[in-house]
Structure formats: structure tokens, C-alpha cells
Amino acid sequence: ETMIVALETVIVARETMIVARETVIVAMGTVIVAMETMIVALETVIVARETMIVARETMIVALETVIVARETMIVARETVIVAMGTVIVAMVTAIFYHRNSDMETVRIIRETLED
């Protein structure tokens, strides 16, 4: 009977070893999954950092665009001022010629201003 008990104990020990091996295999699989999850997390962090860099660069480009737009508006205002000055000069010239020349010159200047 002692031998039978000993044999049963050996069988239980072997089954316990098999279960232990399977447990180690499952644990190793869990470690592998955890490592893959960490890799994915690191890749996500890298992508997030790159996205932040792109966002910063986009903001810089947007600010530069605003600066260029403001400069363009300034140039446009100066162009309008110059155009108004040109009209004033033309009007003064027309008045001057009207007072100091014949009506043909006045007619030519008026036609030019109307165009």
C-alpha cells in the first residue's frame, strides 16, 4: 500500500509539475503581451510628441501668415494713399490748366480723369 501511495504521490507531483510548466508558459505569454503593450505605449508617446512638433510648426506658420497679412494691409493702405495723392495732383493740374490754357487741354484732362 505504501508503494501505491508513493506512486500516486509521484503521479500527483508530475501533474503538479505539468501545471507549473503551463503556469510558467502562461506567465511568459503575459510578460510578452505586457512588453508589446509597453512598446505600443512608447510608440504612441513618440507619435504624440511628433504631433505636438507639427502643431507648433503649424502655429508658427499661422503667425507668420498673420504677420504677412498685416504687412500686406499696410502696403495696401500706402498704395491707396499714393493713389489719392495722384488723384489730387491730377485735379490740381486740371484746375491749373483750366485757368491757364485753352479749353481743349481741359477737355483732354477731364477725359483722362474720367477713364
Side-chain angles (χ1 to χ4, degrees), residues 74-90:
I74 292 169
V75 170
R77 287 179 186 164
E78 292 173 350
T79 303
V80 169
I81 291 169
V82 169
M84 290 173 64
T86 304
V87 169
I88 291 170
V89 168

Side-chain angles (χ1 to χ4, degrees), residues 1 6-7 13 23 50-51 53 60-64 67 71 79-81 84 90 101 106 110:
E1 289 182 19
L7 286 173
T23 304
E50 291 174 351
T51 303
I53 291 170
I60 291 170
V61 169
L63 289 172
E64 291 174 347
I67 292 169
E71 292 174 351
T79 303
V80 169
I81 291 169
M84 290 173 64
S101 67
V106 172
R110 281 186 186 160

Side-chain angles (χ1 to χ4, degrees), residues 40-107:
V40 169
L42 289 171
E43 290 173 348
T44 303
V45 169
I46 291 169
V47 169
R49 287 182 180 171
E50 291 174 351
T51 303
M52 286 175 56
I53 291 170
V54 169
R56 287 179 185 166
E57 292 174 350
T58 303
M59 286 175 54
I60 291 170
V61 169
L63 289 172
E64 291 174 347
T65 303
V66 169
I67 292 169
V68 169
R70 287 182 180 171
E71 292 174 351
T72 303
M73 286 175 56
I74 292 169
V75 170
R77 287 179 186 164
E78 292 173 350
T79 303
V80 169
I81 291 169
V82 169
M84 290 173 64
T86 304
V87 169
I88 291 170
V89 168
M91 291 173 65
V92 169
T93 304
I95 292 169
F96 175 77
Y97 279 118
H98 178 68
R99 290 184 181 168
N100 296 310
S101 67
D102 61 353
M103 292 304 290
E104 181 65 22
T105 305
V106 172
R107 187 185 62 76

Side-chain angles (χ1 to χ4, degrees), residues 17 26 30 35 37 80 102 105 110-111:
M17 286 177 57
V26 170
T30 303
M35 291 175 65
T37 304
V80 169
D102 61 353
T105 305
R110 281 186 186 160
E111 289 176 359

Side-chain angles (χ1 to χ4, degrees), residues 6-30:
L7 286 173
E8 289 176 351
T9 304
V10 169
I11 291 170
V12 170
R14 285 185 178 173
E15 290 176 355
T16 304
M17 286 177 57
I18 291 169
V19 170
R21 285 180 185 167
E22 291 174 353
T23 304
V24 168
I25 290 170
V26 170
M28 290 174 64
T30 303

